[in-house]
Amino acid sequence: MFAFFQGLMLGFGVAVPFGPMNVLILSYALKSFKNAFFLGLGAMSADIFYFSLLLFGLLKFLNNELMSKILAIFGFCFLTYLAFLSIKTKPKNLELKESKEKNTAFKSYVKGFVLNLSNPYIISFWLSISSFLSKEKHYFILGFGLFVAIFIWVFCLSFFVSRFADKFNAKVLFYINIASALIIEYFAIALIYKTFFV
């Protein structure tokens, strides 16, 4: 149960920061819940793909202690960088602009999948937490919790923005980013602790 809860925390920490994908979901949601939701599902599918690669390949490779420590340091630096980016984003840069693009649910799904699949930040993120996952006994349950959290976030973000678009101003998004940054940094510190002090 603790592994599932950790997965939920990590999932929300990853999904909630308002980077390009979330802003794109928001812009779609201003016009269509369905398109915004499928865009998010496409992005989540890319995450599942990378998680699967870790389970069937990279996690075994991490049995090497030196590589595990190298990736742990890389993971700490990258996760801390993500947290920093979330905190430094100014509220005025989070203003929403309604998407004028016409998309079907399928096209939205493919766009989300391709964008996340080709995003170097997403690739770096999965590499950065590979060491963390390798040290978890119930990493599959943790991964399940992670994707449950991402799914909940994608659904809620698409649904509530589409229903209450006028309530999501830049200031609200800024405070959400602060909370997300704190969660991400918790996992960055936990990664270093589990690698070097346990």
Side-chain angles (χ1 to χ4, degrees):
M1 197 65 187
F2 180 69
F4 179 76
F5 178 71
Q6 274 197 312
L8 284 177
M9 284 186 63
L10 181 58
F12 283 122
V14 170
V16 171
F18 277 78
M21 182 56 68
N22 272 339
V23 171
L24 191 60
I25 291 173
L26 284 165
S27 68
Y28 274 47
L30 293 173
K31 290 186 67 176
S32 167
F33 161 74
K34 182 175 69 174
N35 286 348
F37 181 60
F38 275 87
L39 179 74
L41 286 184
M44 188 178 78
S45 297
D47 286 324
I48 292 173
F49 172 76
Y50 282 124
F51 181 71
S52 299
L53 290 184
L54 290 182
L55 290 184
F56 296 109
L58 191 55
L59 288 182
K60 294 178 182 178
F61 177 66
L62 287 177
N63 285 333
N64 183 310
E65 185 178 349
L66 176 62
M67 183 57 66
S68 179
K69 288 182 177 179
I70 291 172
L71 285 176
I73 293 171
F74 168 78
F76 172 80
C77 293
F78 183 75
L79 291 173
T80 299
Y81 175 68
L82 287 182
F84 171 73
L85 288 182
S86 294
I87 290 175
K88 81 163 193 168
T89 304
K90 297 179 181 178
K92 66 180 181 180
N93 294 330
L94 292 170
E95 294 292 350
L96 304 179
K97 295 180 180 179
E98 184 175 354
S99 174
K100 297 179 180 179
E101 210 174 331
K102 292 184 178 179
N103 284 293
T104 63
F106 178 73
K107 283 175 67 177
S108 297
Y109 176 87
V110 171
K111 185 171 187 178
F113 181 79
V114 172
L115 281 176
N116 249 23
L117 194 69
S118 59
N119 188 338
Y121 286 103
I122 298 299
I123 297 170
S124 298
F125 166 76
W126 284 106
L127 285 174
S128 71
I129 69 164
S130 61
S131 181
F132 181 82
L133 289 174
S134 70
K135 298 182 184 308
E136 289 296 321
K137 184 178 180 181
H138 304 290
Y139 56 82
F140 185 78
I141 295 174
L142 187 147
F144 177 70
L146 187 151
F147 290 115
V148 166
I150 293 176
F151 179 85
I152 290 172
W153 174 253
V154 167
F155 176 83
C156 290
L157 181 63
S158 303
F159 178 80
F160 286 109
V161 171
S162 66
R163 294 295 186 272
F164 309 105
D166 58 324
K167 306 295 184 184
F168 285 82
N169 58 43
K171 191 173 182 180
V172 171
L173 301 184
F174 177 72
Y175 287 121
I176 292 174
N177 267 5
I178 296 295
S180 301
L182 293 175
I183 293 174
I184 290 174
E185 189 58 27
Y186 161 78
F187 281 97
I189 294 171
L191 174 56
I192 289 295
Y193 177 76
K194 286 194 171 187
T195 303
F196 292 97
F197 301 102
V198 174

